[in-house]
mmCIF file of all heavy atoms in Angstrom:
data_model
loop_
_atom_site.group_PDB
_atom_site.id
_atom_site.type_symbol
_atom_site.label_atom_id
_atom_site.label_comp_id
_atom_site.label_asym_id
_atom_site.label_seq_id
_atom_site.Cartn_x
_atom_site.Cartn_y
_atom_site.Cartn_z
ATOM 1 N N GLY A 1073 -3.231 196.123 135.275
ATOM 2 C CA GLY A 1073 -4.533 196.061 135.781
ATOM 3 C C GLY A 1073 -4.622 195.969 137.256
ATOM 4 O O GLY A 1073 -5.757 195.745 137.851
ATOM 5 N N ASP A 1074 -3.527 195.806 137.985
ATOM 6 C CA ASP A 1074 -3.549 195.678 139.461
ATOM 7 C C ASP A 1074 -3.962 197.046 140.083
ATOM 8 O O ASP A 1074 -3.459 198.143 139.725
ATOM 9 C CB ASP A 1074 -2.142 195.304 139.966
ATOM 10 C CG ASP A 1074 -1.711 193.936 139.486
ATOM 11 O OD1 ASP A 1074 -2.539 193.062 139.359
ATOM 12 O OD2 ASP A 1074 -0.510 193.826 139.125
ATOM 13 N N CYS A 1075 -4.778 196.975 141.143
ATOM 14 C CA CYS A 1075 -5.263 198.099 141.827
ATOM 15 C C CYS A 1075 -4.541 198.089 143.240
ATOM 16 O O CYS A 1075 -4.345 197.055 143.858
ATOM 17 C CB CYS A 1075 -6.776 198.028 142.014
ATOM 18 S SG CYS A 1075 -7.658 198.148 140.543
ATOM 19 N N LEU A 1076 -4.159 199.253 143.641
ATOM 20 C CA LEU A 1076 -3.587 199.449 145.007
ATOM 21 C C LEU A 1076 -4.296 200.539 145.716
ATOM 22 O O LEU A 1076 -4.746 201.636 145.111
ATOM 23 C CB LEU A 1076 -2.129 199.762 144.893
ATOM 24 C CG LEU A 1076 -1.185 198.673 144.316
ATOM 25 C CD1 LEU A 1076 -1.030 198.909 142.789
ATOM 26 C CD2 LEU A 1076 0.272 198.768 144.911
ATOM 27 N N SER A 1077 -4.459 200.379 147.035
ATOM 28 C CA SER A 1077 -4.910 201.464 147.942
ATOM 29 C C SER A 1077 -4.173 201.417 149.214
ATOM 30 O O SER A 1077 -3.488 200.495 149.601
ATOM 31 C CB SER A 1077 -6.503 201.286 148.190
ATOM 32 O OG SER A 1077 -6.674 200.114 148.904
ATOM 33 N N VAL A 1078 -4.284 202.565 149.900
ATOM 34 C CA VAL A 1078 -3.614 202.773 151.209
ATOM 35 C C VAL A 1078 -4.635 202.956 152.270
ATOM 36 O O VAL A 1078 -5.690 203.620 152.019
ATOM 37 C CB VAL A 1078 -2.578 203.914 151.217
ATOM 38 C CG1 VAL A 1078 -3.298 205.268 150.910
ATOM 39 C CG2 VAL A 1078 -1.716 203.980 152.490
ATOM 40 N N ASN A 1079 -4.412 202.329 153.422
ATOM 41 C CA ASN A 1079 -5.528 202.467 154.471
ATOM 42 C C ASN A 1079 -4.833 202.565 155.883
ATOM 43 O O ASN A 1079 -3.664 202.192 155.993
ATOM 44 C CB ASN A 1079 -6.479 201.344 154.457
ATOM 45 C CG ASN A 1079 -5.996 200.120 155.136
ATOM 46 O OD1 ASN A 1079 -4.973 199.500 154.745
ATOM 47 N ND2 ASN A 1079 -6.648 199.734 156.273
ATOM 48 N N CYS A 1080 -5.567 202.945 156.857
ATOM 49 C CA CYS A 1080 -5.128 202.963 158.169
ATOM 50 C C CYS A 1080 -6.231 202.370 159.063
ATOM 51 O O CYS A 1080 -7.389 202.820 158.989
ATOM 52 C CB CYS A 1080 -4.762 204.433 158.684
ATOM 53 S SG CYS A 1080 -4.088 204.431 160.235
ATOM 54 N N GLY A 1081 -5.845 201.366 159.849
ATOM 55 C CA GLY A 1081 -6.758 200.848 160.844
ATOM 56 C C GLY A 1081 -6.507 201.523 162.185
ATOM 57 O O GLY A 1081 -5.328 201.421 162.705
ATOM 58 N N ILE A 1082 -7.422 202.210 162.783
ATOM 59 C CA ILE A 1082 -7.257 203.059 163.935
ATOM 60 C C ILE A 1082 -8.050 202.537 165.091
ATOM 61 O O ILE A 1082 -9.285 202.326 164.967
ATOM 62 C CB ILE A 1082 -7.566 204.520 163.601
ATOM 63 C CG1 ILE A 1082 -6.854 205.068 162.369
ATOM 64 C CG2 ILE A 1082 -7.313 205.428 164.775
ATOM 65 C CD1 ILE A 1082 -7.379 206.398 161.859
ATOM 66 N N PRO A 1083 -7.463 202.388 166.230
ATOM 67 C CA PRO A 1083 -8.337 201.922 167.411
ATOM 68 C C PRO A 1083 -9.434 203.007 167.613
ATOM 69 O O PRO A 1083 -9.261 204.214 167.590
ATOM 70 C CB PRO A 1083 -7.349 202.016 168.584
ATOM 71 C CG PRO A 1083 -6.107 201.844 167.959
ATOM 72 C CD PRO A 1083 -6.113 202.520 166.620
ATOM 73 N N SER A 1084 -10.668 202.513 167.816
ATOM 74 C CA SER A 1084 -11.837 203.424 167.922
ATOM 75 C C SER A 1084 -11.815 204.295 169.144
ATOM 76 O O SER A 1084 -12.502 205.366 168.997
ATOM 77 C CB SER A 1084 -13.130 202.515 167.988
ATOM 78 O OG SER A 1084 -13.047 201.605 169.079
ATOM 79 N N PHE A 1085 -10.976 204.052 170.083
ATOM 80 C CA PHE A 1085 -10.924 204.953 171.289
ATOM 81 C C PHE A 1085 -10.012 206.238 170.933
ATOM 82 O O PHE A 1085 -10.084 207.185 171.686
ATOM 83 C CB PHE A 1085 -10.378 204.262 172.438
ATOM 84 C CG PHE A 1085 -8.940 203.760 172.352
ATOM 85 C CD1 PHE A 1085 -7.815 204.590 172.456
ATOM 86 C CD2 PHE A 1085 -8.730 202.434 172.054
ATOM 87 C CE1 PHE A 1085 -6.533 204.110 172.330
ATOM 88 C CE2 PHE A 1085 -7.448 201.943 171.941
ATOM 89 C CZ PHE A 1085 -6.330 202.798 172.085
ATOM 90 N N ARG A 1086 -9.281 206.194 169.864
ATOM 91 C CA ARG A 1086 -8.402 207.331 169.577
ATOM 92 C C ARG A 1086 -9.150 208.510 168.919
ATOM 93 O O ARG A 1086 -8.678 209.676 169.093
ATOM 94 C CB ARG A 1086 -7.189 206.833 168.646
ATOM 95 C CG ARG A 1086 -6.301 205.910 169.377
ATOM 96 C CD ARG A 1086 -4.997 205.712 168.500
ATOM 97 N NE ARG A 1086 -4.315 207.013 168.360
ATOM 98 C CZ ARG A 1086 -3.364 207.428 169.249
ATOM 99 N NH1 ARG A 1086 -3.120 206.821 170.382
ATOM 100 N NH2 ARG A 1086 -2.788 208.636 169.015
ATOM 101 N N PHE A 1087 -10.107 208.245 168.024
ATOM 102 C CA PHE A 1087 -10.828 209.313 167.414
ATOM 103 C C PHE A 1087 -12.341 208.973 167.322
ATOM 104 O O PHE A 1087 -12.705 207.792 167.278
ATOM 105 C CB PHE A 1087 -10.410 209.396 165.904
ATOM 106 C CG PHE A 1087 -8.971 209.893 165.619
ATOM 107 C CD1 PHE A 1087 -7.937 208.909 165.561
ATOM 108 C CD2 PHE A 1087 -8.698 211.201 165.582
ATOM 109 C CE1 PHE A 1087 -6.616 209.332 165.373
ATOM 110 C CE2 PHE A 1087 -7.347 211.613 165.379
ATOM 111 C CZ PHE A 1087 -6.409 210.755 165.163
ATOM 112 N N SER A 1088 -13.134 210.004 167.342
ATOM 113 C CA SER A 1088 -14.551 209.729 167.127
ATOM 114 C C SER A 1088 -14.827 209.500 165.718
ATOM 115 O O SER A 1088 -13.982 209.884 164.884
ATOM 116 C CB SER A 1088 -15.355 211.075 167.599
ATOM 117 O OG SER A 1088 -15.102 212.128 166.791
ATOM 118 N N ALA A 1089 -16.052 209.056 165.423
ATOM 119 C CA ALA A 1089 -16.425 208.782 164.004
ATOM 120 C C ALA A 1089 -16.413 210.132 163.194
ATOM 121 O O ALA A 1089 -15.905 210.185 162.087
ATOM 122 C CB ALA A 1089 -17.836 208.185 163.907
ATOM 123 N N GLU A 1090 -16.795 211.144 163.846
ATOM 124 C CA GLU A 1090 -16.701 212.491 163.256
ATOM 125 C C GLU A 1090 -15.348 212.869 162.903
ATOM 126 O O GLU A 1090 -15.012 213.402 161.831
ATOM 127 C CB GLU A 1090 -17.432 213.444 164.070
ATOM 128 C CG GLU A 1090 -17.569 214.886 163.461
ATOM 129 C CD GLU A 1090 -18.143 215.955 164.340
ATOM 130 O OE1 GLU A 1090 -18.547 215.615 165.454
ATOM 131 O OE2 GLU A 1090 -18.212 217.088 163.999
ATOM 132 N N GLN A 1091 -14.395 212.660 163.809
ATOM 133 C CA GLN A 1091 -13.019 213.063 163.642
ATOM 134 C C GLN A 1091 -12.402 212.218 162.459
ATOM 135 O O GLN A 1091 -11.601 212.717 161.734
ATOM 136 C CB GLN A 1091 -12.286 212.844 164.807
ATOM 137 C CG GLN A 1091 -12.471 213.920 165.918
ATOM 138 C CD GLN A 1091 -11.775 213.591 167.198
ATOM 139 O OE1 GLN A 1091 -11.799 212.430 167.698
ATOM 140 N NE2 GLN A 1091 -10.955 214.620 167.696
ATOM 141 N N ILE A 1092 -12.703 210.964 162.418
ATOM 142 C CA ILE A 1092 -12.226 210.109 161.431
ATOM 143 C C ILE A 1092 -12.656 210.669 159.995
ATOM 144 O O ILE A 1092 -11.796 210.739 159.109
ATOM 145 C CB ILE A 1092 -12.739 208.641 161.504
ATOM 146 C CG1 ILE A 1092 -12.208 207.982 162.754
ATOM 147 C CG2 ILE A 1092 -12.490 207.813 160.215
ATOM 148 C CD1 ILE A 1092 -10.756 207.666 162.662
ATOM 149 N N GLU A 1093 -13.888 211.098 159.858
ATOM 150 C CA GLU A 1093 -14.294 211.582 158.548
ATOM 151 C C GLU A 1093 -13.759 212.966 158.230
ATOM 152 O O GLU A 1093 -13.261 213.268 157.194
ATOM 153 C CB GLU A 1093 -15.880 211.633 158.512
ATOM 154 C CG GLU A 1093 -16.415 212.126 157.245
ATOM 155 C CD GLU A 1093 -17.872 211.935 157.123
ATOM 156 O OE1 GLU A 1093 -18.518 211.540 158.107
ATOM 157 O OE2 GLU A 1093 -18.479 212.206 156.052
ATOM 158 N N ARG A 1094 -13.735 213.789 159.344
ATOM 159 C CA ARG A 1094 -13.347 215.253 159.149
ATOM 160 C C ARG A 1094 -11.834 215.459 159.068
ATOM 161 O O ARG A 1094 -11.366 216.267 158.259
ATOM 162 C CB ARG A 1094 -13.898 216.100 160.224
ATOM 163 C CG ARG A 1094 -13.683 217.632 160.121
ATOM 164 C CD ARG A 1094 -14.224 218.424 161.270
ATOM 165 N NE ARG A 1094 -13.455 218.165 162.399
ATOM 166 C CZ ARG A 1094 -13.951 217.576 163.540
ATOM 167 N NH1 ARG A 1094 -15.199 217.101 163.555
ATOM 168 N NH2 ARG A 1094 -13.200 217.401 164.636
ATOM 169 N N GLU A 1095 -11.110 214.652 159.851
ATOM 170 C CA GLU A 1095 -9.683 214.823 159.944
ATOM 171 C C GLU A 1095 -8.848 213.799 159.221
ATOM 172 O O GLU A 1095 -7.952 214.061 158.404
ATOM 173 C CB GLU A 1095 -9.216 214.968 161.394
ATOM 174 C CG GLU A 1095 -9.962 216.085 162.121
ATOM 175 C CD GLU A 1095 -9.641 216.069 163.642
ATOM 176 O OE1 GLU A 1095 -8.600 215.397 164.008
ATOM 177 O OE2 GLU A 1095 -10.405 216.684 164.409
ATOM 178 N N CYS A 1096 -9.127 212.524 159.567
ATOM 179 C CA CYS A 1096 -8.381 211.369 159.047
ATOM 180 C C CYS A 1096 -8.571 211.200 157.530
ATOM 181 O O CYS A 1096 -7.639 210.841 156.787
ATOM 182 C CB CYS A 1096 -8.592 210.181 159.794
ATOM 183 S SG CYS A 1096 -8.193 210.247 161.567
ATOM 184 N N GLY A 1097 -9.881 211.388 157.150
ATOM 185 C CA GLY A 1097 -10.123 211.190 155.676
ATOM 186 C C GLY A 1097 -9.347 212.102 154.736
ATOM 187 O O GLY A 1097 -8.644 211.579 153.872
ATOM 188 N N PRO A 1098 -9.417 213.462 154.961
ATOM 189 C CA PRO A 1098 -8.536 214.262 154.125
ATOM 190 C C PRO A 1098 -7.065 214.002 154.246
ATOM 191 O O PRO A 1098 -6.260 214.139 153.254
ATOM 192 C CB PRO A 1098 -8.936 215.681 154.632
ATOM 193 C CG PRO A 1098 -10.290 215.504 155.181
ATOM 194 C CD PRO A 1098 -10.272 214.195 155.822
ATOM 195 N N ARG A 1099 -6.601 213.599 155.428
ATOM 196 C CA ARG A 1099 -5.184 213.293 155.617
ATOM 197 C C ARG A 1099 -4.743 212.027 154.862
ATOM 198 O O ARG A 1099 -3.670 212.042 154.278
ATOM 199 C CB ARG A 1099 -4.796 213.068 157.177
ATOM 200 C CG ARG A 1099 -4.647 214.412 157.912
ATOM 201 C CD ARG A 1099 -4.400 214.107 159.371
ATOM 202 N NE ARG A 1099 -4.149 215.312 160.140
ATOM 203 C CZ ARG A 1099 -2.974 215.796 160.392
ATOM 204 N NH1 ARG A 1099 -1.876 215.190 160.004
ATOM 205 N NH2 ARG A 1099 -2.795 216.874 161.202
ATOM 206 N N ILE A 1100 -5.568 211.102 154.777
ATOM 207 C CA ILE A 1100 -5.145 209.848 154.053
ATOM 208 C C ILE A 1100 -5.258 210.055 152.616
ATOM 209 O O ILE A 1100 -4.572 209.530 151.730
ATOM 210 C CB ILE A 1100 -5.913 208.619 154.515
ATOM 211 C CG1 ILE A 1100 -5.138 207.348 154.143
ATOM 212 C CG2 ILE A 1100 -7.348 208.480 153.790
ATOM 213 C CD1 ILE A 1100 -5.377 206.112 154.985
ATOM 214 N N LEU A 1101 -6.111 210.962 152.185
ATOM 215 C CA LEU A 1101 -6.273 211.466 150.757
ATOM 216 C C LEU A 1101 -4.839 212.135 150.388
ATOM 217 O O LEU A 1101 -4.377 211.866 149.352
ATOM 218 C CB LEU A 1101 -7.403 212.270 150.556
ATOM 219 C CG LEU A 1101 -7.542 212.956 149.127
ATOM 220 C CD1 LEU A 1101 -7.639 211.845 148.065
ATOM 221 C CD2 LEU A 1101 -8.768 213.808 149.138
#
Side-chain angles (χ1 to χ4, degrees):
D1074 296 322
C1075 298
L1076 294 91
S1077 68
V1078 62
N1079 83 296
C1080 186
I1082 306 171
S1084 57
F1085 62 80
R1086 292 191 62 87
F1087 294 91
S1088 67
E1090 181 183 359
Q1091 287 175 308
I1092 293 289
E1093 182 170 6
R1094 186 182 67 248
E1095 301 174 18
C1096 299
R1099 279 180 177 263
I1100 204 156
L1101 177 58

